[in-house]
Amino acid sequence: MRNVFLFSFLFILSATLCAQRPAANGERWYDTGGKQINAHGGGVLQWKGRYYWFGEDKDTVTNAALTGVSCYVSRDLRRWKKMPTALSVDTTDATSPIARGCTLERPKVIYCPLTKQFVMWFHLELKGRGYSAALAGVATARRPEGPYTFVRAERVNAGLLPVGMNQAERQRMDTLREENYAEWWTPQWRQAIADGLFLRRDLRGGQMARDMQLYVDADGTAYHIYSSEDNLTLHIAELTPDFTRHTGRYIRVAPGQQNEAPCLWRHGGWYWLLCSGCTGWAPNAARLYRAPSIWGPWEGDLGNPCRSDAPLRPASKTFLGQGTYVLTLPNGTELFMADEWHPQRPADGRYLWLPISYTADGMPRIVWERIKVPSKKITGKSCRSWHTMLNPRRMKCVVGY
Ligand code: DGJ
């Protein structure tokens, strides 16, 4: 009988430890309930000593949103507890912009001290309309984990020109007609895009907003960064003090350079923007931009900061991932968070979290490591000892992939 108890105890203990095991990059990660973490295209809010990881709650077979935005809470970035759905799709009203079956991607949450609300922005595509709507959605909540109430979804900055566009640029843009550039990707078309062909096209109805990021600057101003103009040009747009609208002030970044997955952070006197190219769910090489002010001038493409000596995790493909967020921890560690998409079985997509380091001349580097980075609680320990400490049997997995 004693053996039965002992066996059961050991079984429960090992199941618990397994569920809390620090998984390696690209492996399945599990929550404290033993379920695979489902928070894709996400970001992390830090609030009162806790981390709130929000992401797309993906289905097993479709990329359409059948649930909404998931939320996981952790104190150490290692053990994640699943919370109730933070923002639910509308299952009762098929005409709602967030009707079940819409496409709801890359949710991010920030806290607004003015309203004491948590504000979530996301990329929204209407049900059955592919990626044509290109809307920015917003939802708010009183508590970090939600529930979030949908506020609105719309195109951005209708009728407004970017900050700093001069008279000559305006005149040039006004000469551009889509019918004169029917063939895409020619040098003339590229120049026309850079000069605002699509900016002009969408001026009245508002600019497209797809892959997105939020950033709250040191002075408390919040910004919405998104792929606009058919994913050809990024925009950085200022939000109102309540963080739920655009002020109308925005800039274009890297016109015509086709960037997705923008991740913005600040380090060493620079604003850094790490993006991907546009190849659907397939990985491609990351691109880097920097500026002395969020309003520019943005310089780049400065190249791909990724490095890898693992042939199956090539730097030229961002280790098979696509960026979603840069999380700066209280100890200054910056984590590049990326998704490894599995579009045929979306819920099984994986996560890659890697620390950002800097070269002697201050350029960011992201080096492939199979092991997830340490939590703030064990600052000072190397990834290896952190990992080994928790699960010595996995030591052999540390080197290479
Ligand atoms: C790449 C984007 O980064 C994803 O968020 C998603 O929109 C896919 N494209 C869709 O193909």
Side-chain angles (χ1 to χ4, degrees):
M1 194 61 178
R2 262 199 14 220
N3 282 350
V4 174
F5 275 126
L6 186 65
F7 182 76
S8 313
F9 173 74
L10 287 175
F11 178 78
I12 292 166
L13 183 71
S14 67
T16 311
L17 287 177
C18 225
Q20 298 181 358
R21 187 183 82 191
N25 280 319
E27 283 187 357
R28 293 189 171 96
W29 295 3
Y30 294 94
D31 65 22
T32 50
K35 291 227 170 82
Q36 194 172 342
I37 294 180
N38 192 338
H40 311 269
V44 173
L45 167 81
Q46 298 181 57
W47 180 251
K48 296 196 173 164
R50 289 190 168 87
Y51 300 98
Y52 294 80
W53 177 4
F54 297 90
E56 302 160 27
D57 191 334
K58 284 195 178 280
D59 181 61
T60 50
V61 295
T62 173
N63 277 291
L66 303 185
T67 305
V69 176
S70 56
C71 176
Y72 293 82
V73 183
S74 174
R75 281 189 179 278
D76 59 11
L77 294 174
R78 190 166 54 83
R79 282 164 295 138
W80 292 98
K81 181 176 176 216
K82 187 159 180 16
M83 305 302 285
T85 299
L87 174 67
S88 299
V89 293
D90 196 326
T91 53
T92 56
D93 178 5
T95 65
S96 162
I98 58 165
R100 189 169 190 265
C102 67
T103 298
L104 198 166
E105 294 182 346
R106 297 183 175 270
K108 305 288 179 290
V109 172
I110 50 181
Y111 173 69
C112 179
L114 183 70
T115 60
K116 300 195 169 23
Q117 282 192 322
F118 296 86
V119 184
M120 176 189 289
W121 285 81
F122 50 91
H123 165 205
L124 182 72
E125 299 291 349
L126 303 175
K127 184 178 179 180
R129 301 253 306 267
Y131 277 84
S132 61
L135 306 177
V138 60
T140 57
R142 285 272 159 217
R143 298 173 57 84
E145 71 273 22
Y148 284 77
T149 305
F150 175 67
V151 177
R152 92 184 84 77
E154 62 189 7
R155 288 279 183 100
V156 177
N157 287 327
L160 299 169
L161 291 170
V163 169
M165 188 178 222
N166 64 33
Q167 199 57 28
E169 289 165 340
R170 173 77 210 252
Q171 276 169 3
R172 160 75 180 144
M173 186 184 77
D174 283 342
T175 65
L176 302 171
R177 297 284 177 279
E178 261 195 287
E179 57 270 25
N180 296 335
Y181 300 94
E183 191 185 342
W184 285 39
W185 311 117
T186 64
Q188 297 80 359
W189 177 89
R190 283 182 187 280
Q191 187 59 54
I193 289 295
D195 292 345
L197 180 67
F198 289 174
L199 182 75
R200 179 179 181 279
R201 178 195 67 187
D202 294 335
L203 202 51
R204 187 178 301 175
Q207 301 298 326
M208 297 176 124
R210 291 198 184 120
D211 276 15
M212 59 142 284
Q213 192 58 256
L214 295 179
Y215 183 76
V216 182
D217 210 344
D219 67 358
T221 309
Y223 298 88
H224 178 207
I225 302 107
Y226 49 95
S227 298
S228 194
E229 304 179 33
D230 267 309
N231 290 357
L232 290 156
T233 298
L234 291 165
H235 289 187
I236 298 181
E238 188 182 64
L239 295 179
T240 51
D242 69 359
F243 295 176
T244 69
R245 291 184 184 276
H246 296 90
T247 62
R249 278 165 52 81
Y250 72 102
I251 53 166
R252 298 172 79 218
V253 176
Q257 290 185 31
Q258 235 192 342
N259 284 297
E260 279 190 329
C263 297
L264 199 149
W265 77 106
R266 208 171 164 186
H267 184 104
W270 294 98
Y271 291 80
W272 298 95
L273 193 50
L274 187 68
C275 307
S276 74
C278 298
T279 49
W281 300 110
N284 55 57
R287 295 108 175 254
L288 188 66
Y289 298 83
R290 75 176 178 188
S293 150
I294 202 158
W295 294 102
W298 284 91
E299 94 183 89
D301 173 2
L302 301 170
N304 179 358
C306 298
R307 298 289 180 273
S308 170
D309 53 14
L312 295 179
R313 292 284 175 181
S316 61
K317 301 263 186 237
T318 316
F319 324 116
L320 308 186
Q322 186 184 30
T324 183
Y325 195 70
V326 169
L327 171 63
T328 302
L329 301 180
N331 67 11
T333 303
E334 292 153 353
L335 285 185
F336 171 59
M337 294 170 50
D339 292 283
E340 180 187 314
W341 304 111
H342 289 190
Q344 308 307 324
R345 41 195 173 88
D348 191 30
R350 309 294 167 80
Y351 313 104
L352 319 173
W353 290 11
L354 293 160
I356 302 177
S357 55
Y358 292 83
T359 62
D361 55 356
M363 296 299 287
R365 281 278 172 274
I366 305 172
V367 181
W368 169 252
E369 284 176 47
R370 189 158 178 265
I371 304 307
K372 224 166 94 178
V373 295
S375 76
K376 65 169 188 169
K377 284 215 166 132
I378 39 184
T379 307
K381 304 258 193 235
S382 73
C383 295
R384 183 175 302 200
S385 56
W386 167 73
H387 194 265
T388 310
M389 183 173 70
L390 288 161
N391 194 341
R393 281 188 302 118
R394 298 185 62 77
M395 184 60 185
K396 63 178 182 299
C397 304
V398 169
V399 191
Y401 181 70

